[in-house]
Amino acid sequence: QVQLVESGGGLVQAGGSLRLSCAASGRSFGSYGMGWFRQAPGKERESVATISRGGGRTYYADSVKGRFTISRDNAKNTVYLQMNSLKPEDTAVYYCAATSGYGLEIPSGQYNYWGQGTQVTVFS
């Protein structure tokens, strides 16, 4: 069982930055692939970025590539999402999730555990 708690969301002006954190409970954090997802009002949930168990491989959605960076610290049981050059279209609830599956582009349905989400609002 893994419990995930996101933090770091908020209100930011376009062009600004935020850093999201996701703290995981349990001793097996390093055995899970991790991902950040987001869902805007009226839209489907989408994958933003994912990271392999050791942190050596990452995936980014085209919409955030070059602006967002996912990282993890297995010693601290935490995954991060650094978001730079934010745009109003980045406004959404951001969720972190853990998967026992393999692959950086697996469907969100294969993520076993989810956090409660943190709101990110970008205004112009």
Side-chain angles (χ1 to χ4, degrees), residues 5-7 19-23 34-38 46-51 69-71 79-82 94-97 111 114 117-118:
V5 179
E6 301 98 335
S7 61
R19 188 195 196 201
L20 304 184
S21 298
C22 174
M34 298 297 297
W36 285 96
F37 297 79
R38 67 186 181 187
E46 62 174 348
S47 175
V48 175
T50 62
I51 190 166
T69 303
I70 188 172
S71 61
V79 62
Y80 305 97
L81 185 67
Q82 177 67 45
Y94 284 71
Y95 301 90
C96 73
Y111 278 76
W114 292 81
T118 185

Side-chain angles (χ1 to χ4, degrees), residues 29-32 34 52-55 72-78:
F29 178 71
S31 66
Y32 291 94
M34 298 297 297
S52 60
R53 285 158 174 74
R72 66 189 296 166
D73 185 337
N74 286 349
K76 295 183 178 179
N77 282 11
T78 303

Side-chain angles (χ1 to χ4, degrees), residues 62-112:
D62 288 342
S63 58
V64 307
K65 203 170 291 183
R67 300 187 298 122
F68 291 11
T69 303
I70 188 172
S71 61
R72 66 189 296 166
D73 185 337
N74 286 349
K76 295 183 178 179
N77 282 11
T78 303
V79 62
Y80 305 97
L81 185 67
Q82 177 67 45
M83 305 186 294
N84 299 328
S85 302
L86 282 161
K87 305 175 181 180
E89 50 263 43
D90 294 318
T91 295
V93 177
Y94 284 71
Y95 301 90
C96 73
T99 180
S100 57
Y102 288 84
L104 294 175
E105 298 183 60
I106 61 175
S108 60
Q110 293 188 29
Y111 278 76
N112 308 88

Side-chain angles (χ1 to χ4, degrees), residues 9-23:
L11 184 66
V12 63
Q13 192 170 18
S17 299
L18 283 175
R19 188 195 196 201
L20 304 184
S21 298
C22 174

